[in-house]
Amino acid sequence: MQPSPYTPGEVARTVPGRASQLADIDERLSAMVDLGRLVGRIRVDHAPRGFGKTSLLREYQRRAVARGAITAWVTAGESQGLIAQIGAAIASATASLGDEASTRLLDRIESLKLTIGAPGIAQASATLNGEKVQEPVGVRGFEAVIREAASYGAGIVILIDEVQAADEAGIRTLVYAWQHLQAEGADIPAAVFAAGLPNAPEVIASVVTFSERIAYRRLGPLEQEAEEIALVGPARALGVTWTREAVANALSVAQGYPYTVQLIGDATWAAAGRPDPGRTVGVDDVERGRIAMRDDLEALFRARWAQSAALERRMLSAMAARGDDPVSRADISADLQIPTNHLSSPRGRLIDKGLIQSADRGMLEFTIPGFAEFVRDQEGG
Ligand SMILES: Nc1ncnc2c1ncn2[C@@H]1O[C@H](COP(=O)(O)OP(=O)(O)OP(=O)(O)O)[C@@H](O)[C@H]1O
Ligand SMILES: [Mg+2]
């Protein structure tokens, strides 16, 4: 008996299928570490819940560490605000260095906290690209912290998870500071990599206008080959093989959704009796696994459903009733007999929660495989 190598609901140990993202990051890290340059654009990978954002960001962090950079990880949304969170993360990442310079850095972080904590002065005027602008307080202090932190090791990499939950002032300060560093042609080895829900671009754009400073990247479902690697790889490392047919059946359950890949892998592993080295996982195991995992997936769906308001549910039901493919807003509006403009707020909330997303030509679609089917089962219930 061997424990399951799968990670439903946990950060993935490896991130198959994310080669292009990792190639981008490797390139940025290389410019940062080898050339000592600022990574000028803040990167934001965005996707609905369960698509592997946190796992990907952790992999970025591992790569940054492997190159000798200092990393500061924050999960945005705490009451102290994004900038104070980043300050604290930088402080703890550098505390162990314990020399004179790190004392200087800690002092800077403390004074930054005082600046942004001071009530009543949210803005200060400054000149940016020759234009007079109102700029958030704390930008200069934050910049100083970044400059100082970047002098350690191979540079500083700030990782921000759940960026859509960050406070407005924090986002503004971060983006302005980055804009300054960039405009000053600063040779500062520093980077910001962030991840968030699909509404992250909208949230950020509502706070700062210069969106060209930010590289938004949509994180999609896994390609079939990546799913296969995610299923077969961890088993093989334990000396266990999946039959071809078993893999095919598991893939048809997962449909490219990373969380479900792990769920079906894990449930199949248990159904196969947590196999010893030399054993094989077959279709019967997958079938029993599929039945066993249904409760977990349903629990996830039920929680999402319970968190949706009445009109949101009606909208989900109308979409689901039309099948699993993208649905036009006009069709939803006609089915519900509610004008399209009345649907824009529930639509926005469902997108913010990552339950639906916009597809081509103003169409809407479900994000999580199996959710439409679940919604159809709720009819009348
Ligand atoms: N590339 C991948 N291949 C296979 N499984 C993955 C991959 N990336 C993540 N997973 C798995 O998918 C699930 C969701 O991963 P993760 O928590 O990173 O997603 P997330 O997008 O951050 O979700 P949330 O929005 O809920 O925070 C986990 O079970 C994780 O182990
Ligand atoms: Mg996450």
Side-chain angles (χ1 to χ4, degrees):
M1 192 192 97
Q2 303 187 85
S4 162
Y6 301 101
T7 55
E10 287 165 39
V11 170
R13 296 183 190 119
T14 57
V15 288
R18 304 309 192 198
S20 79
Q21 287 81 1
L22 295 176
D24 279 356
I25 293 306
D26 282 340
E27 198 209 347
R28 303 296 180 283
L29 287 175
S30 180
M32 184 186 107
V33 173
D34 301 334
L35 309 175
R37 294 216 178 112
L38 179 79
V39 177
R41 293 171 85 198
I42 293 172
R43 180 185 173 102
V44 179
D45 288 283
H46 57 94
R49 296 255 166 246
F51 270 61
K53 300 177 296 294
T54 303
S55 302
L56 186 62
L57 211 55
R58 284 290 181 198
E59 180 63 29
Y60 293 171
Q61 184 180 33
R62 278 194 287 273
R63 290 181 183 224
V65 168
R67 283 174 166 273
I70 303 269
T71 62
W73 176 284
V74 303
T75 302
E78 284 178 17
S79 59
Q80 56 179 316
L82 180 65
I83 298 300
Q85 279 191 273
I86 295 174
I90 292 177
S92 70
T94 52
S96 59
L97 305 173
D99 58 4
E100 215 176 283
S102 98
T103 316
R104 200 162 61 225
L105 175 60
L106 289 182
D107 287 346
R108 285 202 200 284
I109 292 171
E110 278 314 308
S111 81
L112 169 64
K113 279 197 205 149
L114 289 178
T115 324
I116 57 177
I121 37 161
Q123 311 258 302
S125 62
T127 314
L128 187 66
N129 295 341
E131 250 177 83
K132 205 142 187 77
V133 293
Q134 289 296 104
E135 103 174 353
V137 151
V139 170
R140 293 295 170 180
F142 184 62
E143 249 189 273
V145 167
I146 298 302
R147 283 174 190 276
E148 190 77 42
S151 64
Y152 290 92
I156 173 83
V157 174
I158 298 168
L159 302 130
I160 306 171
D161 201 6
E162 304 283 352
V163 67
Q164 81 289 335
D167 57 305
E168 288 191 3
I171 293 175
R172 204 173 286 125
T173 301
L174 172 73
V175 179
Y176 269 82
W178 231 254
Q179 165 86 346
H180 280 303
L181 291 170
Q182 169 92 8
E184 286 156 12
D187 270 346
I188 296 166
V192 179
F193 302 137
L197 288 176
N199 66 330
E202 210 178 312
V203 167
I204 296 171
S206 74
V207 179
V208 288
T209 49
F210 29 92
S211 283
E212 71 280 4
R213 287 278 160 258
I214 301 163
Y216 295 111
R217 297 286 180 269
R218 183 165 166 164
L219 188 65
L222 295 175
E223 302 278 339
Q224 198 161 315
E225 194 171 284
E227 284 182 283
E228 256 183 82
I229 293 169
L231 281 176
V232 171
R236 185 176 299 145
L238 296 178
V240 175
T241 36
W242 283 67
T243 67
R244 264 179 171 292
E245 222 185 335
V247 172
N249 289 4
L251 294 194
S252 74
V253 174
Q255 294 175 54
Y257 185 50
Y259 175 61
T260 322
V261 173
Q262 301 297 336
L263 264 187
I264 187 68
D266 194 59
T268 301
W269 189 266
R274 303 187 167 81
D276 283 323
R279 299 269 307 279
T280 299
V281 171
V283 279
D284 294 348
D285 302 320
V286 176
E287 183 50 26
R288 273 179 286 133
R290 191 179 63 79
I291 292 162
M293 68 166 253
R294 222 185 263 159
D295 288 346
D296 283 336
L297 202 55
E298 268 204 33
L300 176 100
F301 291 156
R302 210 170 297 117
R304 305 271 153 98
W305 182 251
Q307 288 155 7
S308 303
L311 189 52
E312 292 164 35
R313 290 188 191 180
R314 287 181 64 196
M315 205 171 154
L316 292 172
S317 298
M319 283 177 66
R322 285 181 171 265
D324 289 356
D325 294 330
V327 184
S328 79
R329 289 177 207 182
D331 284 343
I332 300 171
S333 154
D335 291 353
L336 293 177
Q337 301 185 327
I338 296 174
T340 11
N341 59 336
H342 289 196
L343 290 176
S344 63
S345 90
R347 173 180 148 263
R349 282 195 300 271
L350 290 170
I351 290 177
D352 290 354
K353 291 177 193 166
L355 293 181
I356 63 172
Q357 64 190 7
S358 341
D360 294 339
R361 285 171 279 110
M363 309 274 268
L364 293 170
E365 65 184 356
F366 284 95
T367 52
I368 308 174
F371 191 51
E373 195 184 333
F374 171 86
V375 170
R376 283 191 287 275
D377 290 345
Q378 302 311 300
E379 220 86 63

